[in-house]
Amino acid sequence: MHGLKQSELWSALADHYNEIKHLHMRDMFNQDKNRFDKYSLQLNDILYDYSKNRINDQTLKLLLRLADEADLSGWIEKMFTGAPINNTEHRAVLHTALRDQGDQPVMVDGHDILPEIRQERERVKLLAESIRTRKWRGATNQAITDVVNIGIGGSHLGPLMVTEALRPHALHDLNVHFVSNVDENHINDTLEFLKPETTFFIISSKTFTTQDTMVNAETARQWYLSKIGDDKSIGRHFSAVTSNVKLAKDFGIAEDNIFKMWDWIGGRYSLWSAIGLSIVISVGSETFDELLQGAYEVDQHFRHAPFEKNIPVIMALLGIWYNNFFDAQTMAVLPYDQHLHRFPGYLQQADMESNGKSVDRQGEVVDYTTGPVIFGEIGIAAQHAFFQLLHQGTKLVPADILAPIYSYHCIARHHRALMSNVFAQAESLMRGKTKAEVRAELVDQGLDDAQIEKLLPYRVFPGNRPTSTLLFDTLNAKTLGSIIALYEHKIFVQGIIWNINSFDQWGVELGKQLAKNILNELNDNATVNKHDSSTNGQINYYKQRRPKNNS
Ligand code: G6Q
């Protein structure tokens, strides 16, 4: 919707915000006993409870109109059918095709891409299964015990998050490691305890030019060659996932070990492609198929469910409600399942790289705020860290809570303790604690009036802090696939309503370009003076402290 802020609907939402902003959710729950039934949705084993949000029927009605006025249905069809909706790069956006289980063709540039996707997936599975079953032999005829994925950003965060989340499915005698940082500590710490004879590398890079990844890949190759000394055997120990087959071949990787990526998959949406090779090696191809199935079912839900029953649409609209009307600048993601400990980091990239944009699809600077700052942590850990600010700080931080009904081992004592926190935190963020409640508590504790008056202000909790909760049966691959896809589509919906392109990342490209230029300046001892005084100062200080010959 062009001129979003000037639209009648936007004014109606702003007026509605003024009417509702003083209402307390505690009162809303008291007045409407059906709030939970009304404002929760279920998809397979996932319950989405959004009743603890500062909304009523009118809010939803208006927000849903935002989706209609932005022609969300039209955009959804454009995405699923391969229209070039990534307008600044003239590309289709087809991560949904990677998990498509249907038989309808998905056309890009006049040809159906499903056969090549499926063919590439079979190749990935063949390699992964041969490593898992110890059929794949290294240069000295030993089986592989360690796999190292070298990649960064989208070629790292998704596979890392998923392999951690599906840890219980991993083989005990096959370790999968991830190296992303160009800081030598990362690769050195990883290789320190590995043997080249039993190590297999995956160089994951769509472009095969990303500095961090290529420097690490070169170090890995040198490490391998320094111990094995046989260039030809590299084919037994190195693979690549890339859309730049030529550069991967130039690096020395055998063509059979190169897996394709396509330009219609964005890095942060690529874990479903061959970029997921490390996942398949870790958890096996059947588990990977379940991950795809879970995502596919959400794709179907997103494409066909009416918006008022469409979980990603509701998630997105609530985000817009807080972001644009309550002026909330952040959003917290709080998984209570330990295996989701990399989920906040993953989501941070997925959301912030997609919707951290300030220019709309027509090239105009927007006059409204777009993507929020996403942050998060395992919920229990966060309770003992930053929940203080969520409960009593001056900022409104809407939060998503994710929790399993069953953990893998399901020791009831642990799990009930965990869930008591999930329910208690969401309840108290919503209800808060009034002066009267605090006073009664302190009277019970035997404090006198003077002591009570002194303590009272600090012990009051304003409440009215929104949370949405995703409860799922257990964190199996299918459910994980569904959860990831819910968030991917939520991000998409917000991008459409904000009229921005969620699928480019010029901000990331800038970093790649700048570092390349300065790298040249670090290659000698000459004084640098091309930059501002701070940048010159830092570079020259670095060069003095670490002259080139003193490597
Ligand atoms: C993701 C971004 C970015 C990218 C990395 C790695 O959507 O484009 O995070 O994934 O910069 O890029 P390569 O895979 O090309 O090395």
Side-chain angles (χ1 to χ4, degrees):
M1 198 192 334
H2 202 27
L4 182 60
K5 227 175 147 181
Q6 287 68 44
S7 69
E8 231 175 79
L9 178 54
W10 200 262
S11 310
L13 274 158
D15 291 345
H16 177 64
Y17 163 72
N18 283 322
E19 283 159 26
I20 204 177
K21 67 182 179 199
H22 299 299
L23 300 184
H24 200 292
M25 281 191 278
R26 180 192 270 250
D27 301 321
M28 292 176 169
F29 271 96
N30 285 340
Q31 282 153 18
D32 183 356
K33 300 290 171 211
N34 291 327
R35 226 179 133 78
F36 169 74
D37 293 332
K38 232 159 82 178
Y39 302 137
S40 58
L41 292 165
Q42 186 150 6
L43 178 64
N44 300 329
D45 72 327
I46 300 175
L47 170 76
Y48 175 57
D49 172 14
Y50 61 100
S51 59
K52 291 194 184 81
N53 278 288
R54 294 170 69 170
I55 54 166
N56 60 21
D57 290 350
Q58 177 64 5
T59 326
L60 281 175
K61 204 168 135 198
L62 291 170
L63 288 171
L64 285 162
R65 271 181 56 201
L66 265 184
D68 288 335
E69 293 200 5
D71 186 27
L72 179 62
S73 313
W75 282 100
I76 292 175
E77 274 323 284
K78 280 187 197 163
M79 175 169 74
F80 276 90
T81 54
I85 61 170
N86 173 354
N87 61 322
T88 59
E89 297 179 299
H90 312 290
R91 290 176 182 168
V93 173
L94 278 169
H95 44 283
T96 50
L98 296 168
R99 57 236 189 177
D100 191 335
Q101 312 288 312
D103 49 16
Q104 291 305 305
V106 178
M107 307 299 284
V108 174
D109 296 333
H111 79 279
D112 180 11
I113 56 170
L114 291 185
E116 51 181 322
I117 289 175
R118 289 169 185 169
Q119 191 188 344
E120 209 57 11
R121 190 179 311 139
E122 284 316 305
R123 293 185 61 228
V124 163
K125 287 180 178 175
L126 273 177
L127 173 66
E129 289 307 331
S130 99
I131 290 178
R132 284 170 62 80
T133 53
R134 308 174 78 86
K135 284 196 192 105
W136 184 276
R137 294 282 149 168
T140 58
N141 204 30
Q142 296 184 57
I144 300 299
T145 57
D146 294 272
V147 173
V148 182
N149 184 80
I150 298 179
I152 196 162
S155 302
H156 165 74
L157 289 162
L160 170 63
M161 180 273 287
V162 172
T163 46
E164 285 296 303
L166 300 180
R167 213 181 163 76
H169 295 275
L171 292 175
H172 293 303
D173 54 359
L174 182 60
N175 304 307
V176 179
H177 313 261
F178 291 86
V179 172
S180 59
N181 195 342
V182 71
D183 176 2
E184 65 215 45
N185 290 325
H186 204 176
I187 191 145
N188 283 338
D189 291 355
T190 307
L191 297 184
E192 195 177 349
F193 300 105
L194 306 188
K195 292 197 303 179
E197 297 86 346
T198 54
T199 300
F200 187 85
F201 292 96
I202 307 167
I203 316 298
S204 293
S205 177
K206 184 173 166 184
T207 54
F208 225 74
T209 55
T210 305
Q211 185 197 58
D212 324 72
T213 300
M214 297 330 296
V215 171
N216 278 321
E218 188 49 41
T219 299
R221 181 169 60 179
Q222 281 170 16
W223 174 80
Y224 174 81
L225 289 176
S226 71
K227 313 244 166 155
I228 300 282
D230 172 13
D231 211 357
K232 289 192 210 83
S233 65
I234 272 191
R236 309 303 302 159
H237 293 269
F238 281 78
S239 65
V241 184
T242 185
S243 53
N244 200 333
V245 175
K246 182 180 177 304
L247 287 186
K249 279 197 334 211
D250 293 349
F251 183 88
I253 295 176
E255 202 158 355
D256 279 354
N257 292 0
I258 301 175
F259 299 91
K260 251 196 272 165
M261 277 206 53
W262 300 273
D263 69 1
W264 35 263
I265 314 170
R268 55 195 174 278
Y269 298 92
S270 67
L271 69 91
W272 323 98
S273 72
I275 286 287
L277 174 59
S278 52
I279 305 175
V280 191
I281 293 176
S282 175
V283 301
S285 43
E286 277 177 29
T287 306
F288 190 71
D289 282 344
E290 288 165 22
L291 185 83
L292 299 179
Q293 178 67 30
Y296 173 67
E297 289 179 17
V298 166
D299 293 344
Q300 295 304 300
H301 165 80
F302 179 53
R303 200 170 175 183
H304 302 297
F307 290 161
E308 67 277 11
K309 294 200 161 58
N310 197 314
I311 299 178
V313 172
I314 301 287
M315 288 167 85
L317 294 175
L318 290 172
I320 289 175
W321 182 227
Y322 295 119
N323 190 71
N324 295 90
F325 296 94
F326 284 77
D327 206 18
Q329 300 296 320
T330 62
M331 194 216 135
V333 55
L334 306 164
Y336 276 76
D337 189 312
Q338 183 60 30
H339 290 147
L340 281 176
H341 71 116
R342 300 304 302 226
F343 191 69
Y346 158 79
L347 195 63
Q348 214 160 30
Q349 182 197 25
D351 201 312
M352 291 164 76
E353 207 168 277
S354 297
N355 286 342
K357 315 277 166 69
S358 53
V359 174
D360 70 15
R361 286 184 161 272
Q362 285 68 36
E364 303 290 330
V365 174
V366 296
D367 57 359
Y368 42 85
T369 62
T370 59
V373 175
I374 305 285
F375 72 104
E377 175 56 278
I378 285 294
I380 288 286
Q383 284 178 214
H384 299 267
F386 59 73
F387 264 49
Q388 166 61 41
L389 185 148
L390 304 195
H391 281 290
Q392 290 187 307
T394 54
K395 296 180 169 56
L396 182 76
V397 183
D400 278 5
I401 290 173
L402 295 93
I405 308 285
Y406 291 94
S407 294
Y408 271 99
H409 300 294
C410 230
I411 306 171
R413 190 165 54 89
H414 280 261
H415 199 255
R416 282 200 290 267
L418 175 82
M419 295 308 288
S420 64
N421 280 280
V422 169
F423 301 135
Q425 287 293 338
E427 184 180 34
S428 70
L429 283 163
M430 181 275 284
R431 287 179 60 83
K433 203 185 266 184
T434 62
K435 271 188 183 167
E437 285 167 341
V438 177
R439 186 171 281 115
E441 217 176 77
L442 297 179
V443 167
D444 271 358
Q445 287 169 19
L447 270 68
D448 64 30
D449 280 356
Q451 289 169 313
I452 290 176
E453 284 316 307
K454 217 168 162 191
L455 273 178
L456 205 58
Y458 304 103
R459 304 285 290 263
V460 167
F461 287 73
N464 221 9
R465 316 243 154 163
T467 59
S468 305
T469 300
L470 285 161
L471 287 182
F472 44 90
D473 277 0
T474 189
L475 191 64
N476 56 36
K478 183 164 175 266
T479 301
L480 178 67
S482 294
I483 292 172
I484 300 169
L486 287 175
Y487 278 95
E488 284 180 346
H489 294 321
K490 173 216 130 167
I491 292 164
F492 171 81
V493 174
Q494 292 186 332
I496 294 304
I497 292 175
W498 287 324
N499 188 30
I500 53 176
N501 177 6
S502 302
F503 301 104
D504 58 11
Q505 55 282 313
W506 300 106
V508 180
E509 310 303 333
L510 174 73
K512 294 184 181 184
Q513 196 186 326
L514 293 178
K516 222 183 268 171
N517 296 341
I518 291 189
L519 184 61
N520 290 331
E521 295 172 350
L522 301 184
N523 279 335
D524 58 37
N525 291 327
T527 303
V528 166
N529 53 22
K530 273 200 261 165
H531 308 269
D532 59 87
S533 66
S534 164
T535 311
N536 286 336
Q538 287 183 29
I539 294 175
N540 292 327
Y541 178 78
Y542 171 81
K543 289 172 85 159
Q544 270 162 24
R545 303 285 292 177
R546 188 171 174 165
K548 188 71 202 327
N549 56 2
N550 175 18
S551 67

